Amino acid sequence: MRVNTISGRFAALTIIFVMLAELFILLPALASFRLDYLESRLERAQIASLAGLATDESIADDLESELLRNAGVLNVVLRRSDIRQLVLSSRIPAPVAQTFDLREDGVAQTIDDALRTLANPRNEVIRVIGAPVNQAGQLIEITMETAPLRAAMIDYGLRLLAVSAAFSILTAILLNLAVQRLVLVPIRRVISHMVSYAEAPEDPRQIITPDARLAELRDAETALATMQKTVTSSLRQKERMAQLGQAVAKISHDLRNILTTAQIFADRLEDSGDPKVRRAAPKLVNSITRAVNLCETTLAFGKAEEPAPTLSRFPLAPLAAEVVEAESLACGEGAQIEFLLDIPPALTIRADRDQLYRVLTNLARNARQAIEGTGKPGAIEIGAGETDNDWWIRVGDTGPGLPERAREYLFKPFSGSVRKGGTGLGLTIAADLIRGHGGRLELVRSTDEGSEFMIHIPRDMVVMPLRQAAGLR
Ligand SMILES: Nc1ncnc2c1ncn2[C@@H]1O[C@H](COP(=O)(O)OP(=O)(O)OP(=O)(O)O)[C@@H](O)[C@H]1O
Ligand SMILES: [Mg+2]
């Protein structure tokens, strides 16, 4: 058992604590042992002295010294009344060094006396006074040597320590077994789970199922499971995104080729004999050119992310008119959607024109699709203005408002779409593009009477690379 393991620490601490506790009770135990020892000497001396009562004459020297030897004392005086006292005596090897009256000593005194007895290795003669047992007199007094008392005390103390050591080792072993079973086995299980999870973190089967019986361990397992779920799902999401990135690149590549061909055909339409076709042709060419540019920037960056906006100053009203025109064209037959523009003609704005076109198109298209979904007539309004600090553009509609799921996952890719055929990217793209301008896109109103999105673009904008604007590293 190593000391740097939990079970090793537990065992060492148990032994230390039990021994410490034992030391605390050792002193009172030794004091009480000494008291018992002295009282038993008094009792034995009392019995020995009573032998003297059996005869009125003084007892023989041999018998007297035998009685004293058996009692383990040198002298006894038993005072039965004020006048009568019995005495057994033998030769005292040294003068009396100290007198102890057991009738008066308190606890602190007894502990102090015990310590002094242990600390003094010399064999001294002491006098001990106590009350006789069974009220057989007024007082009993003995003289005795301290060496046997001290030896008995040391022997008792050592036995007590040995028992404590055995007890603490046994406790440590039992505790160690309990710790092994209750704590270490589950911890090892968690560790082996972590190791196997680390080998295949994208595999959800490796996620730990919390089943520890101890509440703390169960909590740790639950927290681990939650973390593993988050890691696994974000890894899977990342993998999906990587695949999607490749797919986007491939699609953009071929789409650009197809659109370039369409561009050539659209160019030819400008020479058409039909005036209606001739009028529509430049718009078609513009739209296709925008699409080709989008494909090219996507390909240039290799991923589904945009470059930083290319800023220019331009009037906002014509841009909004283009959006409205494209969206009105996209309205199905018979759809009664009214488009309103509330933009001061003189309002110019500094932004990336193509990106802002995409933002407004996404917002206007969402509004159109929402109104169309109701089957009722409705209106879409694009308004704009400026303050000292920023330009604002408002896109409002009289549709049904955003569904709960869309509100919950607002601006989160692939999550908020409730529309059939929707991908849930439009709002995310719009928000990312505006963030790239150092601005923000907000949903300011969404009730069953309509929705309203607000764009703020700061005048002193700090252009951020879109990857950073989207919070990616
Ligand atoms: N003006 C609006 N009125 C009502 N609901 C809206 C409006 N704008 C967005 N939504 C809701 O928010 C959801 C998310 O919109 P978002 O543009 O991100 O994705 P989408 O339109 O579903 O798909 P796509 O990626 O093709 O745009 C939509 O599915 C729609 O339910
Ligand atoms: Mg959309």
Side-chain angles (χ1 to χ4, degrees):
M1 195 192 328
R2 280 172 299 147
V3 183
N4 65 351
T5 59
I6 292 185
S7 50
R9 287 270 153 92
F10 258 100
L13 286 175
T14 313
I15 293 174
I16 292 170
F17 289 154
V18 172
M19 294 308 283
L20 270 180
E22 202 50 54
L23 278 184
F24 274 109
I25 57 164
L26 186 66
L27 279 183
L30 279 172
S32 145
F33 175 82
R34 175 178 167 279
L35 210 58
D36 287 349
Y37 183 96
L38 294 179
E39 273 167 358
S40 84
R41 282 289 175 282
L42 285 175
E43 230 172 274
R44 275 152 76 175
Q46 183 182 343
I47 293 165
S49 69
L50 287 177
L53 277 179
T55 166
D56 282 342
E57 290 152 33
S58 60
I59 53 173
D61 286 353
D62 290 356
L63 179 60
E64 185 174 22
S65 55
E66 194 181 336
L67 285 170
L68 288 171
R69 216 175 26 254
N70 285 344
V73 298
L74 300 168
N75 272 333
V76 188
V77 175
L78 175 64
R79 189 173 297 157
R80 308 244 321 152
S81 66
D82 283 342
I83 25 165
R84 268 206 86 189
Q85 67 178 32
L86 295 160
V87 180
L88 293 176
S89 63
S90 63
R91 199 183 57 80
I92 298 180
V96 172
Q98 222 182 333
T99 301
F100 299 99
D101 191 339
L102 302 190
R103 297 167 306 172
E104 291 166 4
D105 288 353
V107 178
Q109 185 62 49
T110 12
I111 292 178
D112 187 49
D113 289 344
L115 275 178
R116 281 173 200 281
T117 310
L118 278 176
N120 184 1
R122 271 175 294 130
N123 183 20
E124 290 178 337
V125 174
I126 55 168
R127 177 179 291 122
V128 182
I129 303 168
V133 287
N134 297 332
Q135 278 112 29
Q138 289 173 345
L139 168 150
I140 180 158
E141 184 187 302
I142 56 172
T143 41
M144 56 177 278
E145 287 174 308
T146 52
L149 167 64
R150 185 166 175 273
M153 281 173 74
I154 290 174
D155 180 52
Y156 173 73
L158 289 178
R159 269 185 291 129
L160 204 62
L161 283 178
V163 170
S164 315
F167 175 69
S168 60
I169 288 170
L170 183 71
T171 315
I173 291 172
L174 290 176
L175 205 67
N176 187 27
L177 290 177
V179 167
Q180 288 272 1
R181 221 180 115 61
L182 289 173
V183 182
L184 298 186
V185 172
I187 285 182
R188 280 194 204 111
R189 191 182 92 92
V190 172
I191 292 171
S192 82
H193 254 292
M194 281 168 151
V195 171
S196 56
Y197 177 78
E199 281 163 10
E202 68 291 333
D203 181 358
R205 284 171 306 173
Q206 304 293 344
I207 292 174
I208 192 168
T209 316
D211 64 355
R213 269 176 284 165
L214 282 184
E216 291 86 349
L217 274 171
R218 168 72 73 109
D219 290 349
E221 286 184 349
T222 312
L224 180 64
T226 312
M227 192 194 78
Q228 289 177 335
K229 275 182 203 149
T230 316
V231 172
T232 302
S233 84
S234 78
L235 279 176
R236 297 187 120 205
Q237 172 94 343
K238 255 205 169 128
E239 200 181 299
R240 270 208 299 273
M241 289 307 228
Q243 285 169 357
L244 195 72
Q246 281 190 16
V248 167
K250 284 180 197 156
I251 292 167
S252 302
H253 182 267
D254 286 1
L255 196 62
R256 183 196 50 187
N257 296 347
I258 298 165
L259 286 170
T260 322
T261 318
Q263 208 173 16
I264 296 166
F265 286 121
D267 274 343
R268 295 212 184 132
L269 292 179
E270 290 187 356
D271 304 329
S272 164
D274 184 339
K276 266 193 185 163
V277 174
R278 260 206 318 277
R279 262 203 313 279
K283 285 168 189 144
L284 184 60
V285 171
N286 266 351
S287 296
I288 295 176
T289 309
R290 267 196 197 104
V292 171
N293 286 347
L294 186 58
C295 290
E296 275 170 355
T297 42
T298 307
L299 280 172
F301 281 80
K303 294 177 191 123
E305 69 180 71
E306 337 276 335
T310 313
L311 302 179
S312 63
R313 187 110 196 181
F314 58 89
L316 183 61
L319 179 77
E322 271 179 60
V323 173
V324 165
E325 193 177 5
E327 280 313 304
S328 347
L329 275 176
C331 281
E333 282 279 306
Q336 297 168 313
I337 299 181
E338 192 184 356
F339 286 91
L340 304 165
L341 280 177
D342 180 17
I343 302 176
L347 181 68
T348 61
I349 170 169
R350 203 160 68 94
D352 183 314
R353 199 173 189 280
D354 279 351
Q355 288 187 358
L356 196 59
Y357 178 87
R358 286 168 61 198
V359 172
L360 293 179
T361 301
N362 266 307
L363 295 178
R365 185 165 303 172
N366 279 348
R368 171 175 66 75
Q369 286 164 342
I371 294 172
E372 280 172 357
T374 63
K376 291 186 213 143
I380 299 171
E381 184 181 58
I382 305 181
E386 58 187 333
T387 67
D388 289 346
N389 299 324
D390 60 9
W391 293 285
W392 55 264
I393 308 169
R394 180 170 51 82
V395 182
D397 64 66
T398 57
L402 271 77
E404 200 185 315
R405 186 180 164 78
R407 279 203 308 270
E408 195 181 335
Y409 293 99
L410 197 65
F411 307 132
K412 299 232 169 71
F414 304 111
S415 315
S417 181
V418 239
R419 192 168 56 77
K420 194 161 174 279
T423 53
L425 271 178
L427 285 178
T428 314
I429 293 172
D432 283 354
L433 290 175
I434 295 299
R435 254 200 306 272
H437 282 74
R440 59 184 197 279
L441 170 66
E442 292 166 348
L443 172 65
V444 285
R445 180 169 59 87
S446 171
T447 63
D448 46 12
E449 285 174 6
S451 326
E452 189 173 312
F453 284 89
M454 182 69 95
I455 297 166
H456 289 277
I457 297 178
R459 281 168 174 279
D460 52 349
M461 70 182 73
V462 182
V463 172
M464 266 196 255
L466 280 176
R467 195 171 168 70
Q468 200 179 327
L472 302 168
R473 263 145 214 254

